[in-house]
Amino acid sequence: MSVQTRRPRPHYDVVVRGGGTAGAIAGIAAARTGAKTLLIEQYGNLGGVLTLGMSLKGVHDVEGRKALGGIGAELIESARAEDGATAVASHPRHGSIMGQDGEAMKLKLIAMTRAAGLDLLLHTFLVDAALEGTAIRHVRVAHKGGLESISASCFVDCTGDADLAARAGATFIHGREGVRIAACLNAIKVPALRLAELIGQFLFTRRTIAQIDKPPPINPSQRQLRPCHDQLELCYG
């Protein structure tokens, strides 16, 4: 079966691959300078982990001074004005902590992209990158409309897994050699069906489970992985 290849889009000044928190803000920032910018995201919304219900840490430092500014602060303040974010509370480990409504963040980011004149391409996957020397000249992406070749003067990789960099030939590694699960919860067995409840504490990647918060010290002899069947045993790595 042949795959239809669409005609290339007009040349962009900036293409951002990945519409998570970093990618959405990078795209908005570029578009606000007047650069013709396209943001490519594999899911149907923007914001990444900011929209998953995870608390936002470090908005203020341990002395209460504002540590987040720019578009990030603008996003939070806009959402808070419509009860989409809580006030910032002090926290002994992270300096500060606040909660946010994931759906409110999605809507605010879409509104900000529209206001900035940023082009969006959602539900779209990166296929390959074409180089001229060591510079990326265009990327090929896939979506329900087929394949597209998109050229730009500058490409920004905000995929989280460095997908664009890898496609362009950059050197990369897959976590720690020989380890499939990177972190554990003090060797507490966790039923596999309850893993969804850990979304607020852990970031899941293709090959690893990386702990967000630094765990309390434990005996080094406990740092091991033990296989199980209907349960996953998560341990500090």
Side-chain angles (χ1 to χ4, degrees), residues 54-58 91-97 182-186 198-203 209-218 235-237:
M54 297 176 65
S55 57
L56 188 59
K57 304 178 180 74
H91 191 283
R93 179 184 298 174
H94 306 294
S96 68
I97 189 169
C184 73
L185 291 174
N186 270 338
L198 298 176
I199 289 293
Q201 302 173 31
F202 289 86
L203 172 66
I209 301 176
Q211 189 172 356
I212 300 300
D213 291 328
K214 182 177 176 58
I218 63 172
C235 306
Y236 295 132

Side-chain angles (χ1 to χ4, degrees), residues 53-91:
M54 297 176 65
S55 57
L56 188 59
K57 304 178 180 74
V59 177
H60 294 172
D61 65 17
V62 292
E63 297 181 355
R65 294 173 298 196
K66 187 176 181 180
L68 175 66
I71 296 174
E74 178 185 336
L75 170 63
I76 291 170
E77 291 164 3
S78 177
R80 185 180 292 126
E82 298 181 13
D83 295 324
T86 68
V88 180
S90 61
H91 191 283

Side-chain angles (χ1 to χ4, degrees), residues 17 31 80-81 106 108 112 114 147 172 181 212 230:
R17 173 64 183 91
R80 185 180 292 126
K106 293 176 186 179
K108 287 297 179 184
M112 291 170 72
R114 287 179 173 175
L147 299 176
F172 63 91
I181 298 179
I212 300 300
D230 62 337

Side-chain angles (χ1 to χ4, degrees), residues 103-228:
E103 297 305 311
M105 291 295 166
K106 293 176 186 179
L107 293 173
K108 287 297 179 184
L109 282 170
I110 291 293
M112 291 170 72
T113 61
R114 287 179 173 175
L118 173 63
D119 289 347
L120 289 178
L121 194 54
L122 303 177
H123 298 292
T124 301
F125 293 83
L126 177 67
V127 175
D128 204 356
L131 281 69
E132 185 176 302
T134 59
I136 301 175
R137 292 308 180 196
H138 72 262
V139 294
R140 194 158 63 138
V141 299
H143 48 66
K144 284 193 172 183
L147 299 176
E148 282 198 64
S149 179
I150 301 171
S151 65
S153 300
C154 176
F155 291 87
V156 182
D157 188 337
C158 291
T159 60
D161 290 326
D163 290 341
L164 179 54
R167 296 293 190 280
T171 302
F172 63 91
I173 60 173
H174 285 292
R176 290 178 293 174
E177 292 296 328
V179 178
R180 296 304 180 106
I181 298 179
C184 73
L185 291 174
N186 270 338
I188 299 173
K189 290 185 178 180
V190 180
L193 292 179
R194 293 187 56 204
L195 282 179
E197 298 175 13
L198 298 176
I199 289 293
Q201 302 173 31
F202 289 86
L203 172 66
F204 288 79
T205 64
R206 294 184 210 159
R207 296 283 303 275
T208 64
I209 301 176
Q211 189 172 356
I212 300 300
D213 291 328
K214 182 177 176 58
I218 63 172
N219 189 321
S221 65
Q222 296 176 316
R223 297 185 178 184
Q224 54 186 316
L225 296 174
R226 304 178 183 87
C228 44

